[in-house]
């Protein structure tokens, strides 16, 4: 009688644990990167409200994903043209990031027992920098240039803090954000600050060239010449002239009666993290061992170029930022830590299984399977970021203009014409406009992550 | 006999499993309880200083306006102006630029200053550029719709004698989890007649901030 009862209780307990594990594993399996696909499908058809609604449902107040939620929300809101609301979301993300940067005792412990997904999402360095960039751009498009300047100063402070934590030869990819900072300073007539920012951008773009084969934008070269000339830095000017092979450029004086139109095109979406998992049975102990690590998967290249046409002027937009290689490099940088944590987790799970087995073979098996099921790679990343950022700086005389933009899709090779109407240009001031262009094949991801990491995009010389 | 022993053995095993389950339950409940602490509200005095993030807050704004008002009212420019022209000086608020690292609501301390200066009865304030625009729209609307007795004529605006301009600057120095923030607020009163600076006010605030390395 007693035995019967105990057995019934035992079975019930067993079932409860299995159910719990199943629920946990299902939750884990769906993972961030799979869920966000639904949002992306709405982005392709430019239904931003539906995308926001799905995003809202996805998170449902999970505090450990709060940073990621606000990053994605800010991005969707700015795609929909609501720059004010976008900045509110970005500001929330920024403040949460600062809070999450402090190491959490409970999260560290539980991530050692379960997996890395239980940690609060903090954001990678390049994501933090791009967060600042989009806040700056939102303010600029709203015409709040002083607020954009505040954000530029914060970025500078942020970079100082980041560099304190990183080693000397592990510099963050700051070229684009520095270039943007320079543009803001130059717009406000703060020449020396602009010059410093341009110089830092130039230094960093040289690293981009070495690492990712992305050349220094022509507009930055022109800006360096223009400001070196304006500030009377003649030695530096000579050096730039020789290095860039440019002998003629528009001086600040020549530009004084003009305004500048700054067009920014965000192309495609950032790469996605997928789980690369391996499960083996240890020959010595017969235990199930599973390791699951995140791998970046690039999406198909979104656009092969963009051209503008305004007031008889034609030109190409230049590539300013390339998210794919930077994201992959960041993950590579983090990989040793991720693997070390996974190994530590395996050691703990191995020990737990061993102890379970000593109690009872079934319990040991249960702990082993449960532990293996819980081993899930952390595939969270800011996926609504673009793949590439393009920009053109067009000097224009004061007046109202219409600009037509021709986007060459690499998806079907067809051109797509887009228009910006009623662009007001004032003398001595910049006018900023941006758009996010997402092609239909953005959600076409390969089944096997390993296929993709081998592909190396080449951002050829322009 | 052996059957009984086995059953007792199993019994104790199940008890153990039960115990582990129970412990897990307690831990998870405790975590849930920690996460869902309900919101608590306490009312505090407006004058009370409460520094949370180390960023610019209401206390900073209040300190700046207090310092500036005390200074601007105690200087001789008001009496000089009254002596010369026989009327109170009229002031307009120009641009107060935020050149700092933070998104600061500049309007709060400018509003405080405006109120104190008007209420002191020694200075007149003229509506700012955006306010004027709205008032002018209302006046042109009156031109069409209001009766002749109540209509306000155009071109009767009071021209300001001085413009209040200024800026907020910050210098941040940080190392690891420690940070020193230095704010400097500069305000200048410029005579609209001849661009002369009638008064320069300055307030400095310095804060030392230590960030948490750990959280729950």
């Amino acid at each position: 009688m007693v035995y019967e009862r105990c057995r019934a209780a035992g079975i019930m307990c067993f079932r409860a644990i299995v159910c719990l594990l199943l629920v946990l594993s299902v939750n884990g399996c769906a993972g961030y990167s799979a869920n966000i696909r639904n949002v992306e499908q709405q982005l392709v058809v430019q239904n931003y409200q539906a995308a926001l609604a799905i995003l809202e449902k996805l998170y449902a107040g999970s505090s450990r994903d709060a940073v990621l939620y606000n990053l994605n929300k800010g991005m969707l809101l700015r795609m929909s043209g609501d720059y004010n609301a976008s900045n509110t979301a970005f500001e929330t993300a920024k403040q949460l990031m600062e809070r999450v940067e402090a190491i959490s005792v409970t999260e560290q412990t539980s991530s050692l027992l379960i997996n890395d997904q239980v940690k609060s999402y903090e954001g990678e360095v390049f994501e933090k920098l791009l967060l600042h960039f989009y806040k700056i751009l939102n303010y600029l498009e709203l015409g709040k240039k002083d607020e954009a300047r505040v954000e530029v100063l914060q970025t500078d402070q942020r970079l100082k803090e980041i560099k304190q934590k990183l080693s000397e030869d592990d510099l963050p990819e700051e070229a684009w954000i520095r270039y943007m900072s320079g543009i803001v300073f130059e717009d406000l007539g703060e020449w020396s600050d602009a010059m410093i920012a341009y110089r830092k951008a130039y230094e960093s773009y040289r690293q981009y060239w070495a690492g990712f084969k992305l050349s220094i934008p022509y507009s930055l070269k022109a800006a360096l010449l223009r400001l070196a000339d304006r500030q009377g830095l003649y030695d530096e000017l000579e050096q730039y002239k020789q290095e860039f092979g440019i002998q003629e450029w528009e001086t600040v004086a020549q530009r004084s009666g003009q305004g500048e139109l700054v067009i920014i095109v965000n192309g495609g979406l950032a790469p996605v993290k997928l789980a690369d998992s391996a499960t083996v049975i240890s020959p010595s102990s017969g235990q199930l061992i599973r390791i699951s690590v995140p791998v970046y998967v690039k999406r198909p290249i979104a656009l092969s170029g963009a051209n503008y046409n305004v007031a008889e002027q034609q030109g190409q937009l230049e590539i300013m930022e390339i998210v794919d290689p930077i994201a992959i490099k960041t993950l590579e940088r983090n990989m040793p830590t991720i693997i070390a944590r996974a190994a530590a987790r395996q050691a703990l799970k191995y020990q737990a299984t061993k102890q379970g087995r000593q109690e009872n073979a079934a319990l040991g098996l249960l702990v082993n399977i449960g532990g293996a099921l819980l081993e899930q790679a952390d595939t969270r990343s800011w996926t609504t970021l673009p793949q590439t950022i393009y920009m053109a700086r067009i000097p224009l005389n004061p007046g109202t203009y219409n600009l037509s933009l021709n986007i060459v899709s690499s998806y079907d090779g067809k051109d797509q014409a887009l228009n910006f109407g009623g662009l007001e240009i004032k003398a001595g001031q910049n006018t900023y406009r941006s758009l996010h262009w997402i092609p239909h094949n953005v959600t076409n991801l390969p089944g096997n992550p390993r296929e993709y990491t081998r592909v190396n995009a080449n951002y050829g010389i322009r | 006999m052996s059957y009984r022993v086995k059953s007792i053995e199993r019994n104790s095993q199940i008890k153990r499993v039960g115990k582990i389950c129970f412990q897990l339950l307690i831990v998870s409940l405790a975590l849930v309880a920690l996460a869902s602490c309900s919101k608590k509200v306490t009312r505090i005095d407006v004058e009370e200083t409460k520094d949370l993030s180390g960023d610019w807050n209401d206390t900073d704004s209040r300190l700046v306006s207090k310092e500036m008002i005390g200074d601007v009212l105690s200087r001789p420019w008001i009496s000089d102006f009254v002596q010369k022209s026989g009327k109170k000086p009229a002031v307009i608020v120009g641009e107060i630029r935020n050149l700092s690292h933070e998104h600061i609501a500049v309007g709060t301390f400018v509003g405080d200053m405006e109120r104190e200066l008007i209420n002191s009865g020694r200075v007149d304030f003229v509506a700012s550029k955006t306010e004027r625009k709205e008032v002018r729209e209302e006046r042109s609307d009156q031109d069409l719709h209001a009766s002749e007795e109540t209509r306000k004529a155009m071109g009767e605006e009071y021209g300001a004698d001085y413009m209040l301009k200024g800026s907020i600057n910050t210098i941040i120095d940080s190392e690891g989890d420690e940070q020193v923030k230095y704010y400097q607020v500069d305000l200048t009163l410029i005579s609209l007649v001849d661009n002369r600076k009638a008064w320069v006010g300055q307030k400095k605030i310095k804060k030392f901030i230590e960030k948490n390395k750990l959280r729950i």
Side-chain angles (χ1 to χ4, degrees), chain B residues 131-194:
Chain B
E131 289 169 325
R132 278 202 307 263
K133 205 178 154 200
E134 201 187 334
V135 174
R136 279 177 196 152
E137 274 169 19
E138 171 62 23
R139 220 179 277 131
S140 62
D141 188 73
Q142 280 190 2
D143 227 15
L144 270 178
H145 305 291
S147 67
E148 215 158 311
E149 308 89 73
T150 58
R151 189 179 297 160
K152 306 294 176 293
M154 306 259 195
E156 297 283 306
E157 286 178 16
Y158 198 96
D161 304 301
Y162 293 97
M163 185 183 250
L164 185 71
K165 283 180 70 66
S167 65
I168 305 177
N169 277 283
T170 46
I171 300 171
I172 295 181
D173 187 24
S174 65
E175 172 69 47
D177 299 304
E178 292 177 344
Q179 196 177 55
V180 173
K181 261 189 198 172
Y182 173 84
Y183 297 89
Q184 184 171 317
V185 183
D186 291 292
L187 291 180
T188 320
L189 207 59
I190 301 168
S191 164
L192 286 173
V193 179
D194 50 12

Side-chain angles (χ1 to χ4, degrees), chain A residues 23-43:
Chain A
V23 168
L24 279 174
S25 65
V26 166
N27 253 339
C29 278
Y32 166 79
S33 65
N35 285 328
I36 202 80
R37 284 300 86 70
N38 300 327
V39 175
E40 288 164 4
Q41 269 151 17
Q42 295 301 325
L43 293 184

Side-chain angles (χ1 to χ4, degrees), chain B residues 97-119:
Chain B
R97 285 191 73 191
N98 174 13
L99 302 176
S100 75
H101 287 73
E102 286 169 39
H103 299 287
I104 291 171
V106 180
T108 56
F109 73 81
V110 175
D112 275 355
M113 282 191 68
E114 220 176 294
R115 192 196 64 234
E116 286 291 318
L117 285 173
I118 295 171
N119 291 348

Side-chain angles (χ1 to χ4, degrees), chain A residues 225-243:
Chain A
L225 290 163
R226 187 168 62 238
L227 286 206
D229 188 18
R230 160 74 175 67
Q231 299 299 86
L233 305 162
Y234 298 117
D235 289 346
E236 206 174 327
L237 180 68
E238 272 312 307
Q239 182 205 321
Y240 290 140
K241 265 160 79 174
Q242 287 198 349
E243 195 184 326

Side-chain angles (χ1 to χ4, degrees), chain A residues 91-105:
Chain A
E91 185 61 34
T92 311
K94 199 164 74 187
Q95 283 172 11
L96 286 171
M97 271 176 182
E98 267 176 46
R99 205 175 302 162
V100 170
E101 267 169 24
I103 295 162
S104 161
V105 187

Side-chain angles (χ1 to χ4, degrees), chain A residues 275-287:
Chain A
D276 190 1
S277 315
T279 313
V280 288
I281 292 171
S282 157
S284 56
S285 64
Q287 273 201 36

